[in-house]
PDB file of all heavy atoms in Angstrom:
ATOM      1  N   GLU I 166     -11.667  12.286   4.395  1.00  0.00           N
ATOM      2  CA  GLU I 166     -11.927  13.011   3.146  1.00  0.00           C
ATOM      3  C   GLU I 166     -10.630  13.198   2.353  1.00  0.00           C
ATOM      4  O   GLU I 166     -10.620  13.084   1.127  1.00  0.00           O
ATOM      5  CB  GLU I 166     -12.587  14.348   3.440  1.00  0.00           C
ATOM      6  CG  GLU I 166     -14.017  14.200   3.913  1.00  0.00           C
ATOM      7  CD  GLU I 166     -14.636  15.496   4.394  1.00  0.00           C
ATOM      8  OE1 GLU I 166     -13.918  16.519   4.507  1.00  0.00           O
ATOM      9  OE2 GLU I 166     -15.850  15.493   4.667  1.00  0.00           O
ATOM     10  N   ALA I 170      -9.825  11.741  -1.399  1.00  0.00           N
ATOM     11  CA  ALA I 170      -9.289  12.566  -2.485  1.00  0.00           C
ATOM     12  C   ALA I 170      -8.001  11.959  -3.036  1.00  0.00           C
ATOM     13  O   ALA I 170      -7.788  11.943  -4.259  1.00  0.00           O
ATOM     14  CB  ALA I 170      -9.045  13.985  -1.981  1.00  0.00           C
ATOM     15  N   GLU I 175      -4.915   9.408  -7.186  1.00  0.00           N
ATOM     16  CA  GLU I 175      -3.829   8.482  -7.490  1.00  0.00           C
ATOM     17  C   GLU I 175      -4.304   7.083  -7.858  1.00  0.00           C
ATOM     18  O   GLU I 175      -3.562   6.316  -8.451  1.00  0.00           O
ATOM     19  CB  GLU I 175      -2.879   8.387  -6.286  1.00  0.00           C
ATOM     20  CG  GLU I 175      -2.210   9.694  -5.937  1.00  0.00           C
ATOM     21  CD  GLU I 175      -1.355   9.597  -4.697  1.00  0.00           C
ATOM     22  OE1 GLU I 175      -1.146   8.469  -4.197  1.00  0.00           O
ATOM     23  OE2 GLU I 175      -0.903  10.651  -4.224  1.00  0.00           O
ATOM     24  N   ALA I 188      -8.391  -2.650   6.450  1.00  0.00           N
ATOM     25  CA  ALA I 188      -8.101  -1.473   7.280  1.00  0.00           C
ATOM     26  C   ALA I 188      -9.365  -0.652   7.523  1.00  0.00           C
ATOM     27  O   ALA I 188      -9.608  -0.179   8.641  1.00  0.00           O
ATOM     28  CB  ALA I 188      -7.027  -0.611   6.619  1.00  0.00           C
ATOM     29  N   SER I 190     -12.432  -1.791   7.489  1.00  0.00           N
ATOM     30  CA  SER I 190     -13.288  -2.577   8.385  1.00  0.00           C
ATOM     31  C   SER I 190     -12.858  -2.410   9.835  1.00  0.00           C
ATOM     32  O   SER I 190     -13.695  -2.261  10.734  1.00  0.00           O
ATOM     33  CB  SER I 190     -13.249  -4.057   8.017  1.00  0.00           C
ATOM     34  OG  SER I 190     -13.789  -4.259   6.744  1.00  0.00           O
ATOM     35  N   GLN I 191     -11.547  -2.406  10.068  1.00  0.00           N
ATOM     36  CA  GLN I 191     -11.039  -2.195  11.421  1.00  0.00           C
ATOM     37  C   GLN I 191     -11.394  -0.800  11.932  1.00  0.00           C
ATOM     38  O   GLN I 191     -11.761  -0.633  13.104  1.00  0.00           O
ATOM     39  CB  GLN I 191      -9.530  -2.405  11.466  1.00  0.00           C
ATOM     40  CG  GLN I 191      -9.115  -3.832  11.270  1.00  0.00           C
ATOM     41  CD  GLN I 191      -7.602  -3.987  11.158  1.00  0.00           C
ATOM     42  OE1 GLN I 191      -6.865  -3.017  11.172  1.00  0.00           O
ATOM     43  NE2 GLN I 191      -7.152  -5.225  11.043  1.00  0.00           N
ATOM     44  N   LEU I 192     -11.299   0.190  11.056  1.00  0.00           N
ATOM     45  CA  LEU I 192     -11.668   1.555  11.453  1.00  0.00           C
ATOM     46  C   LEU I 192     -13.159   1.645  11.776  1.00  0.00           C
ATOM     47  O   LEU I 192     -13.555   2.339  12.716  1.00  0.00           O
ATOM     48  CB  LEU I 192     -11.317   2.552  10.346  1.00  0.00           C
ATOM     49  CG  LEU I 192      -9.841   2.847  10.150  1.00  0.00           C
ATOM     50  CD1 LEU I 192      -9.650   3.787   8.958  1.00  0.00           C
ATOM     51  CD2 LEU I 192      -9.234   3.448  11.403  1.00  0.00           C
ATOM     52  N   ARG I 201     -20.340   3.658  20.884  1.00  0.00           N
ATOM     53  CA  ARG I 201     -20.998   2.993  22.016  1.00  0.00           C
ATOM     54  C   ARG I 201     -20.485   3.547  23.343  1.00  0.00           C
ATOM     55  O   ARG I 201     -21.256   3.776  24.276  1.00  0.00           O
ATOM     56  CB  ARG I 201     -20.767   1.479  21.954  1.00  0.00           C
ATOM     57  CG  ARG I 201     -21.677   0.750  20.998  1.00  0.00           C
ATOM     58  CD  ARG I 201     -21.623  -0.764  21.206  1.00  0.00           C
ATOM     59  NE  ARG I 201     -20.282  -1.316  21.228  1.00  0.00           N
ATOM     60  CZ  ARG I 201     -19.590  -1.700  20.155  1.00  0.00           C
ATOM     61  NH1 ARG I 201     -20.131  -1.586  18.959  1.00  0.00           N
ATOM     62  NH2 ARG I 201     -18.378  -2.201  20.288  1.00  0.00           N
ATOM     63  N   GLN I 205     -22.673   5.465  26.120  1.00  0.00           N
ATOM     64  CA  GLN I 205     -22.725   4.949  27.485  1.00  0.00           C
ATOM     65  C   GLN I 205     -22.338   6.040  28.479  1.00  0.00           C
ATOM     66  O   GLN I 205     -22.984   6.190  29.517  1.00  0.00           O
ATOM     67  CB  GLN I 205     -21.791   3.751  27.633  1.00  0.00           C
ATOM     68  CG  GLN I 205     -21.822   3.122  29.009  1.00  0.00           C
ATOM     69  CD  GLN I 205     -20.872   1.942  29.125  1.00  0.00           C
ATOM     70  OE1 GLN I 205     -20.159   1.601  28.186  1.00  0.00           O
ATOM     71  NE2 GLN I 205     -20.863   1.322  30.277  1.00  0.00           N
ATOM     72  N   ALA I 206     -21.319   6.812  28.162  1.00  0.00           N
ATOM     73  CA  ALA I 206     -20.907   7.905  29.049  1.00  0.00           C
ATOM     74  C   ALA I 206     -22.012   8.950  29.167  1.00  0.00           C
ATOM     75  O   ALA I 206     -22.294   9.447  30.265  1.00  0.00           O
ATOM     76  CB  ALA I 206     -19.631   8.551  28.530  1.00  0.00           C
ATOM     77  N   ARG I 230     -31.651   8.457  54.720  1.00  0.00           N
ATOM     78  CA  ARG I 230     -31.893   7.582  53.580  1.00  0.00           C
ATOM     79  C   ARG I 230     -30.639   7.549  52.721  1.00  0.00           C
ATOM     80  O   ARG I 230     -29.930   8.531  52.593  1.00  0.00           O
ATOM     81  CB  ARG I 230     -33.040   8.111  52.725  1.00  0.00           C
ATOM     82  CG  ARG I 230     -34.379   8.030  53.428  1.00  0.00           C
ATOM     83  CD  ARG I 230     -35.460   8.725  52.673  1.00  0.00           C
ATOM     84  NE  ARG I 230     -35.597   8.234  51.297  1.00  0.00           N
ATOM     85  CZ  ARG I 230     -36.694   8.367  50.591  1.00  0.00           C
ATOM     86  NH1 ARG I 230     -37.730   8.987  51.106  1.00  0.00           N
ATOM     87  NH2 ARG I 230     -36.756   7.923  49.376  1.00  0.00           N
ATOM     88  N   VAL I 234     -26.456   4.685  43.631  1.00  0.00           N
ATOM     89  CA  VAL I 234     -26.358   4.993  42.203  1.00  0.00           C
ATOM     90  C   VAL I 234     -25.291   4.069  41.649  1.00  0.00           C
ATOM     91  O   VAL I 234     -24.123   4.182  41.976  1.00  0.00           O
ATOM     92  CB  VAL I 234     -25.961   6.466  41.984  1.00  0.00           C
ATOM     93  CG1 VAL I 234     -25.841   6.752  40.503  1.00  0.00           C
ATOM     94  CG2 VAL I 234     -26.974   7.392  42.627  1.00  0.00           C
TER      95      VAL I 234
END
Side-chain angles (χ1 to χ4, degrees):
E166 289 172 352
E175 298 176 9
S190 296
Q191 291 173 357
L192 288 176
R201 280 193 309 273
Q205 182 181 2
R230 292 172 56 158
V234 179

